[in-house]
Amino acid sequence: MQPIISALWITLIGMGLVFIAILLLWGMMALLVKLTPDKAEAESANQPELPAAQPSIPEADGLTQRKRRAAVAAVIAARILQSTPPASGMQAQPAPSPWQSSQRAASLTLAASATRKANRK
């Protein structure tokens, strides 16, 4: 009975150390978050606020806004289509290496012999 009790104490001490280490790491991370400034806040504090490039124009209705969004989407689609080559059904593939050809032939031969044996039975 003594070895089981010793094993349980060792397990309990090991698990306790693991949880203490986790709590210690959690505390250190919380401390670092509080001590270090937020990157976005630091950048916005260093840069002066710039005036707007264009004055805002009040929209008469949602139709104008939808037309602008459609125009932007059309321009993006056109640029994507211009940058990618046209897709064709058959694309040239490089010839397989001699090693690849021999391995494929061996695989086909093995499959054919297995099929013939299965048909004989």
Side-chain angles (χ1 to χ4, degrees):
M1 198 64 169
Q2 185 65 20
I4 293 176
I5 294 174
S6 296
L8 288 175
W9 274 109
I10 291 171
T11 303
L12 183 65
I13 291 170
M15 289 175 64
L17 288 174
V18 166
F19 283 112
I20 289 171
I22 290 172
L23 289 174
L24 182 68
L25 288 173
W26 182 26
M28 288 172 45
M29 287 190 305
L31 181 67
L32 282 173
V33 167
K34 289 193 185 278
L35 291 179
T36 56
D38 212 11
K39 187 176 183 179
E41 290 176 7
E43 287 179 0
S44 65
N46 291 340
Q47 294 179 352
E49 192 165 324
L50 299 174
Q54 296 177 351
S56 62
I57 302 170
E59 297 292 331
D61 56 9
L63 184 62
T64 310
Q65 183 71 15
R66 280 189 256 149
K67 285 182 180 179
R68 286 183 183 174
R69 287 183 181 169
V72 169
V75 169
I76 291 172
R79 294 194 74 183
I80 289 173
L81 289 174
Q82 286 177 349
S83 66
T84 57
S88 63
M90 296 292 290
Q91 293 182 354
Q93 294 181 353
S97 67
W99 176 85
Q100 191 175 14
S101 296
S102 66
Q103 290 298 317
R104 284 182 182 171
S107 175
L108 288 173
T109 304
L110 183 63
S113 66
T115 303
R116 278 190 229 120
K117 288 181 184 176
N119 290 338
R120 288 182 193 166
K121 291 180 182 180

